[in-house]
Amino acid sequence: MPLYRLLYRSDVHLVGTEAGIRQQIAEIVHASEIRNASDDLTGALLHTRGVFIQALEGPLPAIETTFERICCDLRHRRVELLEFVQAEERVFGEWSMAGIRADRTIQKLFPQLDAREEPFLEPASAQATIGLMRALLLAGSREGASPRVSAAPAS
């Protein structure tokens, strides 16, 4: 069965304290881990500065169903599809869903960015974004993520 990868961004629409929002995102990641494992999906959810960026990998029907559910989820605003392609292999094969909280790591990598100001950043290519997400995961910016648990081996 062919493998597909989808990448999107959306504005986070969660209400609460910073700690409450982190908890809500951890719950989203946990629920996604369980559902994705049963649907043979892998991926990562990056949240930083009020934005979600998520990569999903797997069979076409599961990706379509999941993305439709995301587009209808009121916790997302202005969902924008960045890439939808057939993939040779999984980039996030170790995780049914990994949560990436990158604010601290991004500040370490780019100290010139002041967290209180809205930075001007050029849009990155989908491939560069996916590479950055994987690098952040491997650098230890995971939040509430555990290795993939599934009966089906990663492709």
Side-chain angles (χ1 to χ4, degrees), residues 69-105:
R69 188 173 47 252
I70 289 165
C71 289
C72 295
D73 188 330
L74 297 178
R75 297 174 293 189
H76 298 270
R77 296 287 163 93
R78 298 188 312 180
V79 177
E80 178 184 356
L81 181 63
L82 302 175
E83 180 181 62
F84 188 44
V85 297
Q86 191 166 354
E88 294 290 320
E89 62 186 3
R90 293 179 191 258
V91 175
F92 302 100
E94 301 96 302
W95 303 278
S96 58
M97 182 51 56
I100 308 168
R101 190 170 137 231
D103 289 336
R104 291 186 195 115
T105 306

Side-chain angles (χ1 to χ4, degrees), residues 95 98-101 136-147:
W95 303 278
I100 308 168
R101 190 170 137 231
L136 288 168
L137 275 170
L138 297 175
S141 294
R142 293 186 312 151
E143 174 180 75
S146 57

Side-chain angles (χ1 to χ4, degrees), residues 7 9 53 80 82 119-129 132:
L7 180 71
R9 71 157 311 279
I53 300 174
E80 178 184 356
L82 302 175
F120 175 79
L121 298 174
E122 292 290 327
S125 72
Q127 193 170 31
T129 301
L132 175 63

